[in-house]
Amino acid sequence: MWEQLKRSDIELAKQKLEALRSMTLSRHAEELQDLDAQRDDIETLERLADAVANRYLNAAGSPAQPSAPSEEQPTAVLVTDANEPTVPEAVQVPSPSLQVQQQVSPNFGIPLRRWVGR
């Protein structure tokens, strides 16, 4: 076998190896570009999430800034006989640490089914 190996065979092997190397490098460059684009997307998402958190979460949690009435904090309104809404003088606001838990009996549906006849 070694007697049949020619200089042209070695040159052909070098050319094939160089072609394989260039294909590998081009694939590697494409993969790096894809990874860079994904990293940029993640960094953009991180900046947006940070901006949302700073704008909405930190502003809502800071006690130094008075919060305006919103859907989360409804304002009590009294309606008089003349259908003119007025704000009551003393409104009792529950404390923020108040926790409400609802416990439904597991037997709630059974008497109803008996009454309905099912």
Side-chain angles (χ1 to χ4, degrees), residues 7-9 17 30 33 35 38 53 57 62-63 79 91-92 96 100 102 104 107 111 113 116:
R7 190 166 222 27
S8 61
D9 294 333
L17 185 61
E30 290 174 8
Q33 288 176 349
L35 290 174
Q38 289 177 2
L57 298 179
S62 72
V79 178
V91 177
Q92 293 182 353
V100 178
Q102 181 180 3
V104 178
N107 298 327
R113 288 188 199 122
V116 173

Side-chain angles (χ1 to χ4, degrees), residues 10-55:
I10 294 175
E11 291 298 322
L12 182 63
K14 284 182 181 179
Q15 290 174 357
K16 286 184 179 181
L17 185 61
E18 188 62 34
L20 180 63
R21 182 178 187 274
S22 66
M23 286 180 8
T24 303
L25 288 175
S26 67
R27 265 196 327 250
H28 184 255
E30 290 174 8
E31 289 177 4
L32 284 177
Q33 288 176 349
D34 290 343
L35 290 174
D36 288 341
Q38 289 177 2
R39 183 184 58 205
D40 292 342
D41 290 345
I42 290 172
E43 288 174 354
T44 301
L45 177 64
E46 180 183 25
R47 283 193 309 271
L48 290 173
D50 189 40
V52 167
N54 286 336
R55 183 172 184 175

Side-chain angles (χ1 to χ4, degrees), residues 96-110:
S97 63
L98 178 68
Q99 294 181 358
V100 178
Q101 293 180 348
Q102 181 180 3
Q103 296 178 351
V104 178
S105 171
N107 298 327
F108 175 72
I110 294 173

